[in-house]
Amino acid sequence: MSNRRRSRGSRPASPAGKHSIPELAEAAPERQPLPQWRWRAFPVFFMFSVGLFFGVFVGVPAGIAGEAGNNVPQYVVFLGSAILLGLALSHVVVRWLLSRGIAGPRPKRR
């Protein structure tokens, strides 16, 4: 063996030439299906009501301050909601990638 590193494209050929389909199917880990999401569950209703309350509780004073000429509270509310929306969208995209098999779960650290 030499001490040189091989580039990605230069792998030694397998004895049979190319991998057969059964070998590749056995090498792929079996994915567990994602659990069914229940939209009519209490946690979904609770988070919707908390979000609505928080939006009204913060939005009304920010709107009143904006009419008085101080737009800083509106900017703070907008920035906070944009950050939370970004986190929620990243969660949805990661779940979609996992369901399609494009990305996989991280291996457990030892």
Side-chain angles (χ1 to χ4, degrees), residues 55-92:
V56 171
F57 187 74
V58 174
V60 170
I64 292 171
E67 288 179 2
N70 184 7
N71 291 331
V72 173
Q74 289 178 341
Y75 294 138
V76 169
V77 169
F78 178 75
L79 183 63
S81 64
I83 290 171
L84 291 176
L85 179 64
L87 291 172
L89 286 176
S90 69
H91 179 76
V92 169

Side-chain angles (χ1 to χ4, degrees), residues 28-34 93-105:
E30 188 175 325
R31 287 184 287 156
Q32 294 180 351
L34 295 174
V93 168
V94 166
R95 295 279 299 200
W96 180 78
L97 290 173
L98 289 172
S99 70
R100 299 286 186 254
I102 297 170

Side-chain angles (χ1 to χ4, degrees), residues 10-26:
S10 64
R11 292 188 175 173
S14 64
K18 292 185 177 180
H19 292 288
S20 65
I21 293 174
E23 288 178 9
L24 290 177
E26 290 174 6

